[in-house]
Amino acid sequence: MDRNAVFGGVREGGERGVRVTRAMARAMGGVCASSKPSFKKEGKNKKKSLDKGRAVLADVTNVCRKQQNKKCSTSKSQIRGGCKKKSTNGVSNASIQVSSTQGHVRTNIAKDLSTTSTLQSHDSIVAERLEDRELVLPCVSISMRGHVMEDIDMISEELKHSDGLGIVDIDSVELKDPLIWSSYSPDIYSNICVREFERRPLADYMDELQQDITPSMRGVLIDWLVEVSEEYKLVPDTLYLTVNLIDRFLSRSLIQKQRLQLLGITCMLIASKYEEICAPPVEEFCFITDNTYTKAEVLKMESEVLNLLHFQLSVPTTKTFLRRFILAAQSSYKVSYVELDFLVNYLAELTLVEYSFLQFLPSLIAASAVLLARWTLNQSEHPWNSTMEHYTNYKMSELKTTVLALADLQLDTKGCPLNAIREKYKQQKFMSVANLPLKPVQSLFQSQV
């Protein structure tokens, strides 16, 4: 599978793609070895764009150090394969073992009978003790099974009622790829809806904790990391997880501005190891900062981040919810609307740079991006229906504040100079969705009052 042609679950040709995991790569016959991305630099154009980002980062990085022009050689990943040793024993050895085993059958049966009688007497004693303590374990298991069956019946009843309300079952086997575990989707997303409350950064850590950095410095860092992710062709999940790790670390630990870029590349290194099949080596992240930081400093920072966050890397980000919400939105169309996927992902990525969007839950941002994208592309029909409300668990009135803030962000009412995401989605491979004119959304919410 060509990862470079896939973004947000949609290929350039419009075909919906499946996210490749390490297990799937092994099953497909060594995808990691054949499709390993090249971490060598591709000419001077990309180098100049990254240098521009580094110049902007001069205010928030360690400018006292002398920048070096030496390039770190990319370490080549080696795939070590081991061969299993085959047994050299012949058929004769097997026959000898069978005959010797048959000789002990009678003695083993006698031992088993004696052991069984002993166990039966022991079980009777244990049963009497359990009766004295009034512990009836079979009843507990039966009650637990009863609860499970009640939950299953409740889910099936909800699906029956949803058909009458015009809700499309996006988890049906007919509509889904067989490689996707559609039967577990409701349980998975119910779980991550709880997790997004547990593992989210503080919305006001800049005022409450940090003293040497500002929201604008954070924006400059993330805007530069967007360029880095494009340079190394990282999957979108890596970028979202990187921003989450940065904000969670800054919510708990005080940091100086000289180490802010070090924190950024370290979090991207961690996210790459977690999300990518073939992650860039540490030396590449040192080189991307013009060797401002050494390999030892990055590894030390990596240990500090992981220990502070207790190695909790399984975090539901906005991208996690986007996959399901976009699927629900696409159910309204007979043919997959590729432009909708790109526009939704563009709107969602715009929020990564803005510190003010930390006050909103990832699921709320994802739902708002889908609503705004559908309204931008088509005003002839209402962008929020019973299917969207069912799978997002948000009513349209609950999305008003976030949608209006997202619309202002798309219009760039504050004149933000950070344009890495806008330039990214002006490319033809994303159907230039960043150039689409925004439709006024205030009238949409007024009609709902």
Side-chain angles (χ1 to χ4, degrees), residues 188-238:
I188 292 173
Y189 278 88
S190 297
N191 188 350
I192 64 177
C193 284
V194 177
R195 290 292 182 89
E196 72 172 337
F197 286 94
E198 298 175 351
R199 298 178 183 178
R200 60 178 303 198
L202 298 177
D204 57 350
Y205 66 79
M206 286 290 183
D207 299 328
E208 297 296 330
L209 179 61
Q210 300 301 327
Q211 301 175 0
D212 200 32
I213 61 175
T214 61
S216 61
M217 292 181 181
R218 173 192 176 273
V220 170
L221 173 66
I222 295 176
D223 185 76
W224 176 72
L225 289 175
V226 173
E227 295 183 0
V228 175
S229 65
E230 283 290 289
E231 170 73 7
Y232 292 110
K233 298 179 176 60
L234 304 179
V235 296
D237 301 79
T238 301

Side-chain angles (χ1 to χ4, degrees), residues 86-94 97:
K86 295 183 179 180
S87 176
T88 57
N89 294 332
V91 180
S92 59
N93 293 335
Q97 291 178 357

Side-chain angles (χ1 to χ4, degrees), residues 128-314:
E128 292 177 357
R129 294 179 179 177
L130 289 176
E131 289 177 356
D132 293 338
R133 298 183 182 182
E134 297 181 355
L135 294 176
V136 187
L137 298 180
C139 294
V140 176
S141 60
I142 291 174
S143 62
M144 291 177 65
R145 293 175 185 173
H147 288 304
V148 173
M149 295 305 297
E150 289 177 1
D151 293 339
I152 295 175
D153 294 337
M154 186 182 301
I155 295 173
S156 61
E157 287 296 327
E158 289 180 356
L159 290 177
K160 291 179 182 178
H161 292 304
S162 64
D163 294 338
L165 296 175
I167 298 174
V168 180
D169 183 13
I170 64 175
D171 296 318
S172 61
V173 180
E174 292 80 7
L175 300 176
K176 297 290 290 183
D177 190 290
L179 296 177
I180 301 177
W181 296 83
S182 58
S183 58
Y184 295 103
S185 296
D187 295 332
I188 292 173
Y189 278 88
S190 297
N191 188 350
I192 64 177
C193 284
V194 177
R195 290 292 182 89
E196 72 172 337
F197 286 94
E198 298 175 351
R199 298 178 183 178
R200 60 178 303 198
L202 298 177
D204 57 350
Y205 66 79
M206 286 290 183
D207 299 328
E208 297 296 330
L209 179 61
Q210 300 301 327
Q211 301 175 0
D212 200 32
I213 61 175
T214 61
S216 61
M217 292 181 181
R218 173 192 176 273
V220 170
L221 173 66
I222 295 176
D223 185 76
W224 176 72
L225 289 175
V226 173
E227 295 183 0
V228 175
S229 65
E230 283 290 289
E231 170 73 7
Y232 292 110
K233 298 179 176 60
L234 304 179
V235 296
D237 301 79
T238 301
L239 179 62
Y240 280 92
L241 181 57
T242 299
V243 177
N244 178 273
L245 296 177
I246 292 173
D247 289 327
R248 287 167 62 197
F249 182 88
L250 295 178
S251 298
R252 300 184 181 183
S253 178
L254 185 67
I255 195 171
Q256 302 297 321
K257 64 181 180 181
Q258 289 82 7
R259 302 178 69 235
L260 184 59
Q261 190 180 20
L262 174 62
L263 174 64
I265 62 172
T266 303
C267 290
M268 181 161 280
L269 171 65
I270 297 172
S272 300
K273 291 180 179 180
Y274 187 81
E275 297 288 355
E276 302 290 334
I277 297 178
C278 297
V282 184
E283 291 81 3
E284 284 297 320
F285 289 101
C286 295
F287 168 77
I288 210 69
T289 63
D290 285 335
N291 294 322
T292 305
Y293 307 101
T294 63
K295 179 179 178 180
E297 289 177 311
V298 175
L299 295 178
K300 182 180 179 181
M301 191 68 185
E302 179 186 26
S303 177
E304 184 179 347
V305 172
L306 290 174
N307 282 283
L308 183 65
L309 301 182
H310 304 290
F311 289 81
Q312 295 178 347
L313 304 180
S314 181

Side-chain angles (χ1 to χ4, degrees), residues 77 108 119 125 186 192 327:
S77 303
N108 291 335
L119 290 174
I125 297 173
I192 64 177
L327 184 61

